[in-house]
């Protein structure tokens, strides 16, 4: 069931790095800071540079570089459960950037963005409730680089309104990769763009959107690994609501309006 409450949100040269286990090479960005993002491959996950237990949500404002440390929940953040009222490991203020972080298990509710935010080279080793939740109205949310795996439900939960851009990412073993909230008490138009991203089975849906609120999902440069039967749905349309009821499905074909992709945008390996 999608979430009802609202707790869920430079230039550079480009180079190609090959992924492992037959995964497609993904285009990654060398950022102006000089950081080269690790390969966003289902087979290549970074090793942590130390670990830190987090017993209470860590607030983030401005730009914070985690130095590839692993952060994991303990105490109230350490249940490892799937209930929908957990606090996050990190709470990002509007305009904040969090980069070079590994979130281990237990992961609680991962990351919450209160408004526009940037997640850069963030990796979830074992997604808790959700990896990241985006909130706010008329905001822009950016996920560049990194990866997430072992999500019992969703990886990204989009509760706010605006635009969510996901690029150079690896998603593995999930139910839904990104979901526009289907039954939040406040509903908005949401635009989701996923590019240069590797999706590795098992998985059910890449993106879920609400056509009645004018949502759209654009897929470009998507590599789908281990789904020879093409069972993963690229774009699932729903009729959303603000009552908390389970939203109904509304088709899943590319249509150029809500589900924007073509066969050439999806590569199966």
């Amino acid at each position: 069931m999608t979430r009802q409450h609202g707790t869920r949100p430079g230039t550079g040269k480009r180079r190609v790095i090959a992924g492992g286990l037959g995964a497609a090479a993904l285009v990654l960005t060398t950022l102006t800071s000089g950081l080269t993002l690790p390969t966003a491959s289902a087979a290549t996950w970074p090793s942590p540079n130390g670990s830190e237990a987090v017993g209470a949500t860590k607030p983030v404002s401005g730009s914070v570089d985690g130095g590839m440390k692993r952060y994991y929940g303990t105490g109230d953040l350490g249940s490892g459960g799937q209930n929908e009222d957990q606090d996050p490991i990190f709470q990002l203020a509007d305009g904040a950037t969090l980069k070079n972080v590994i979130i281990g298990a237990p992961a609680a509710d991962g990351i919450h963005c209160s408004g526009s935010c940037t997640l850069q080279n963030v990796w979830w080793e074992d997604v808790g409730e959700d990896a990241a939740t985006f909130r706010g109205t008329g905001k822009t949310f950016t996920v560049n680089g990194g990866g997430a795996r072992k999500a019992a439900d969703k990886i990204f939960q989009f509760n706010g309104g605006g635009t969510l851009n996901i690029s150079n990412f690896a998603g593995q073993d999930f139910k839904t990769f990104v979901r526009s909230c289907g039954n939040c008490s406040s509903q908005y138009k949401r635009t989701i763009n996923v590019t240069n991203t590797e999706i590795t089975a098992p998985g059910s849906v890449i993106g879920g959107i609400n056509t009645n609120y004018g949502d759209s999902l654009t897929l470009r440069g998507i590599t789908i690994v281990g789904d020879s039967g093409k069972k993963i749905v690229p774009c699932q349309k729903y009729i959303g609501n603000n009552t908390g009821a389970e939203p109904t499905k509304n088709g899943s074909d590319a249509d150029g309006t809500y589900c924007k992709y073509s066969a050439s945008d999806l590569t199966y390996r």
Side-chain angles (χ1 to χ4, degrees):
M1 178 174 179
T2 52
R3 189 166 316 285
Q4 177 180 356
H5 56 75
T7 59
R8 302 287 222 220
T11 59
K13 61 184 180 179
R14 298 165 74 85
R15 67 190 185 98
V16 175
I17 304 178
L21 294 184
L26 298 179
V27 180
L28 303 178
T29 305
T30 302
L31 303 171
T32 53
S33 63
L35 168 71
T36 300
L37 299 181
T39 307
S41 166
T44 305
W45 293 72
S47 298
N49 182 21
S51 295
E52 179 179 329
V54 179
T57 299
K58 299 174 74 69
V60 175
S61 59
S63 181
V64 172
D65 189 330
M68 298 310 294
K69 181 185 288 186
R70 175 191 285 132
Y71 297 86
Y72 62 94
T74 189
D76 290 342
L77 298 179
S79 72
Q82 288 291 315
N83 75 75
E84 295 191 352
D85 295 310
Q86 296 183 68
D87 290 329
I89 301 292
F90 292 97
Q91 177 77 53
L92 272 61
D94 191 7
T97 295
L98 180 66
K99 57 185 178 180
N100 302 326
V101 162
I102 298 172
I103 297 181
D109 200 27
I111 295 172
H112 287 186
C113 287
S114 301
S116 294
C117 69
T118 297
L119 305 180
Q120 178 181 305
N121 196 35
V122 177
W123 297 80
W124 290 261
E125 295 178 324
D126 190 337
V127 173
E129 184 182 349
D130 295 325
T133 301
F134 306 99
R135 301 177 63 192
T137 306
K139 302 295 183 176
T140 299
F141 311 91
T142 301
V143 178
N144 184 21
R149 60 188 176 187
K150 301 179 182 178
D153 192 3
K154 299 171 298 296
I155 290 179
F156 296 118
Q157 174 78 23
F158 194 2
N159 283 8
T163 301
L164 170 59
N165 298 311
I166 303 169
S167 59
N168 308 314
F169 199 83
Q172 178 182 4
D173 190 2
F174 57 90
K175 185 175 180 181
T176 299
F177 180 75
V178 57
R179 179 69 169 99
S180 176
C181 185
N183 55 11
C184 285
S185 57
S186 296
Q187 290 285 24
Y188 313 95
K189 177 180 179 179
R190 303 175 177 103
T191 300
I192 303 173
N193 303 304
V194 183
T195 60
N196 296 336
T197 288
E198 181 182 86
I199 300 295
T200 300
S204 296
V205 174
I206 295 178
I209 56 173
N210 306 311
T211 57
N212 56 317
Y213 295 120
D215 294 355
S216 66
L217 170 70
T218 300
L219 302 175
R220 297 287 184 266
I222 307 301
T223 299
I224 302 175
V225 180
D227 184 32
S228 58
K230 298 186 179 180
K231 294 181 180 180
I232 296 176
V233 176
C235 181
Q236 178 64 60
K237 292 175 274 193
Y238 294 90
I239 300 296
N241 64 75
N242 61 359
T243 66
E246 189 69 18
T248 57
K249 292 183 178 180
N250 190 34
S252 59
D253 294 330
D255 54 28
T257 301
Y258 306 108
C259 294
K260 302 179 180 181
Y261 66 93
S262 63
S264 63
D265 294 310
L266 308 177
T267 300
Y268 290 84
R269 298 290 174 92

